């Protein structure tokens, strides 16, 4: 049996950082995100009778050829395979051959682990012929070790409930993709891979002296952003999302050892977004665990922003995303 899966990355308006249970990838806080229509992973999954064959090839962003996955990459897949079997309550094994390709640079703050592991969660469920609800699939995706993968399962705009245990920590859609045509314009400043993974970063989040303060503030931040979203109040929404991004990075920069994901291109880029806004072109930034910048804007302003940022020599690529459906067998 061979089948294909397509699954999007997502950008969190309110980010999850820090885990109360590393084994089960249980976050301290709820998070809220949007699936990204043009940043996705496509998996071709072949189920094999020979259980000794477990292989994966990856085609990176802009590469023309597939390359064998590294041992570290393969180990993560195999670890997830073991968790998936347990979750799906299957006792038999399968062999598999995976071909994975990405429409965007990986490990650069554009949630490549979310798109990949959500796709793989759906692939394992499909390969073992299990029909899961979206809630169950999002839990399974979370058990990959990439928590944000759970948010790439449901459609459109997605809320991940932190929950108190594995059963209650799941993601669900709170609005369909066409509910609001806001745009996430990813300004790719560099396709370079980051040196510290989010998984390693989460473990040390609570070493920041500001971590407790962030957790205290988060219920209000989540509420403000959700209300602005529901009212389609772009100014209130963008303002709060931008502040939340700085709040999030202030934890990263003050945990021990600190994580400085920004590069010398990130600051000019965010300053330009702020300047453009002061000149009447309304956009807001958010930055994930990487140096690249996500510019949130309204559909009517795409061309103006695109023309402006194409002319900046610190921008390597621009990827325009709308909200979209979650992981699907295609
Ligand atoms: O998906 P993980 O468990 O590797 O964590 C990544 C979390 C962030 O991308 C940094 C923030 C978020 O909520 O998307």
């Amino acid at each position: 049996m061979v089948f294909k899966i397509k699954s999007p990355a997502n950008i969190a308006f309110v980010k999850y950082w820090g885990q109360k249970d590393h084994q089960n990838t249980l976050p301290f806080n709820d998070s809220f995100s949007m699936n990204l229509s043009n940043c996705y992973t496509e998996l071709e999954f072949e189920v094999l009778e020979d259980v000794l064959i477990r292989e994966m090839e990856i085609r990176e962003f802009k590469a023309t050829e597939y390359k064998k996955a590294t041992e570290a990459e393969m180990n993560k897949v195999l670890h997830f395979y073991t968790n998936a079997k347990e979750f799906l309550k299957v006792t038999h094994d399968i062999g598999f051959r995976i071909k994975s390709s990405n429409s965007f640079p990986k490990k650069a703050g554009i949630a490549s682990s979310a798109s990949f592991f959500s796709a793989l969660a759906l692939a394992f469920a499909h390969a073992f012929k299990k029909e899961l609800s979206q809630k169950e699939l999002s839990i399974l995706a979370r058990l990959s070790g990439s928590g944000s993968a759970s948010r790439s399962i449901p459609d459109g705009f997605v809320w991940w409930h932190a929950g108190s245990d594995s059963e209650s920590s799941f993601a669900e859609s709170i609005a369909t993709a066409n509910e609001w045509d806001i745009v996430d314009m990813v300004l790719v400043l560099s396709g370079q891979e980051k040196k510290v993974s989010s998984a390693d970063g989460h473990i040390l989040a609570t070493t920041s002296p500001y971590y407790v303060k962030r957790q205290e503030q988060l219920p209000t931040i989540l509420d403000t952003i959700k209300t602005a979203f529901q009212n389609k109040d772009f100014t209130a929404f963008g303002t709060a999302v931008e502040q939340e991004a700085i709040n999030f990075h202030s934890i990263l920069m003050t945990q021990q050892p600190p994580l400085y994901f920004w590069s010398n291109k990130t600051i000019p880029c965010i300053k330009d977004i702020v300047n453009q806004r002061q000149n009447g072109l309304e956009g807001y930034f958010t930055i994930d665990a990487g140096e690249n910048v996500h510019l949130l804007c309204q559909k009517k302003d795409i061309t103006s922003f695109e023309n402006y940022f194409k002319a900046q020599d610190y921008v390597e690529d621009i990827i325009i995303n709308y909200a979209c459906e979650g992981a699907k067998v295609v």
Side-chain angles (χ1 to χ4, degrees):
M1 171 167 75
V2 187
F3 57 87
K4 284 188 182 165
I5 308 269
K6 183 176 172 187
S7 189
N10 64 73
I11 182 67
F13 305 130
V14 181
K15 302 187 200 313
Y16 113 83
W17 193 245
Q19 298 163 343
K20 57 189 173 213
D21 174 346
H22 303 306
Q23 185 106 20
N24 289 299
T25 327
L26 293 184
F28 281 111
N29 60 277
D30 284 15
S31 51
F32 175 35
S33 62
M34 160 183 150
N35 289 338
L36 302 180
S37 58
N38 283 315
C39 295
Y40 52 84
T41 296
E42 284 176 303
L43 278 194
E44 196 178 293
F45 195 101
E46 187 179 0
V47 184
L48 304 167
E49 274 174 26
D50 185 343
V51 298
L52 295 178
I53 305 177
R54 304 237 172 90
E55 294 171 356
M56 180 165 74
E57 288 187 330
I58 302 174
R59 193 181 65 204
E60 303 296 359
F61 177 53
K62 289 191 172 165
T64 48
E65 292 188 0
Y66 283 88
K67 283 200 183 129
K68 201 169 175 285
T70 63
E71 201 180 324
E73 286 163 338
M74 209 54 216
N75 284 342
K76 284 188 189 165
V77 169
L78 294 175
H79 177 71
F80 184 31
Y81 171 77
T82 309
N83 287 352
K85 263 184 64 185
E86 194 183 320
F87 180 80
L88 297 168
K89 298 190 174 60
V90 289
T91 45
H92 68 284
D93 276 307
I94 52 167
F96 53 80
R97 204 171 271 136
I98 301 172
K99 280 184 147 188
S100 170
S101 63
N102 268 356
S103 71
F104 62 104
K106 72 170 183 186
K107 294 189 188 165
I110 321 174
S112 53
S113 58
S115 59
F116 174 73
F117 283 109
S118 53
L120 195 56
L122 183 55
F124 284 147
H126 200 67
F128 283 115
K129 300 190 172 53
K130 297 283 183 181
E131 285 285 334
L132 300 187
S133 66
Q134 286 221 325
K135 176 179 172 181
E136 289 166 328
L137 261 178
S138 80
I139 293 174
L140 173 59
R142 199 196 73 233
L143 295 173
S144 67
S146 167
S148 58
S150 66
R151 292 193 313 247
S152 287
I153 297 287
D155 292 345
F157 297 90
V158 179
W159 199 273
W160 176 12
H161 304 275
S164 53
D165 55 15
S166 197
E167 173 77 1
S168 56
S169 185
F170 66 94
E172 68 176 340
S173 175
I174 62 161
T176 58
N178 45 26
E179 174 92 14
W180 198 16
D181 56 6
I182 50 172
V183 174
D184 176 19
M185 189 177 283
V186 180
L187 302 172
V188 182
L189 310 183
S190 154
Q192 252 186 8
E193 292 187 14
K194 60 189 178 194
K195 295 189 177 66
V196 182
S197 70
S198 299
D200 290 339
H202 281 295
I203 294 173
L204 298 165
T206 53
T207 60
S208 163
Y210 308 113
Y211 193 77
V212 173
K213 190 78 196 156
R214 171 170 168 78
Q215 290 303 312
E216 279 168 14
Q217 292 170 339
L218 271 170
T220 309
I221 295 172
L222 282 155
D223 200 49
T224 305
I225 291 179
K226 189 179 187 183
T227 305
F229 174 81
Q230 283 165 340
N231 294 338
K232 301 196 175 56
D233 180 342
F234 185 62
T235 304
F237 179 78
T239 305
V241 170
E242 205 175 86
Q243 281 167 0
E244 150 59 13
I246 298 299
N247 180 319
F248 163 74
H249 277 277
S250 64
I251 300 299
L252 270 61
M253 292 183 194
T254 51
Q255 62 182 64
Q256 290 304 320
L259 288 175
Y260 305 120
F261 283 123
W262 299 9
S263 73
N264 57 354
K265 294 178 175 181
T266 311
I267 296 276
C269 183
I270 66 179
K271 281 193 168 175
D272 276 349
I273 292 173
V274 174
N275 284 339
Q276 289 299 308
R277 191 159 73 225
Q278 280 158 359
N279 294 335
L281 188 56
E282 192 179 12
Y284 299 88
F285 65 82
T286 184
I287 308 169
D288 204 60
E291 73 176 282
N292 297 308
V293 175
H294 295 251
L295 163 66
L296 299 171
C297 69
Q298 298 170 94
K299 196 175 171 184
K300 66 179 176 60
D301 294 325
I302 291 180
T303 312
S304 308
F305 274 119
E306 216 183 353
N307 288 341
Y308 179 81
F309 282 107
K310 263 187 192 159
Q312 307 309 312
D313 52 11
Y314 57 75
V315 175
E316 278 187 12
D317 260 300
I318 296 179
I319 309 176
I320 295 170
N321 299 280
Y322 292 95
C324 67
E325 55 182 14
K328 293 279 176 296
V329 181
V330 289

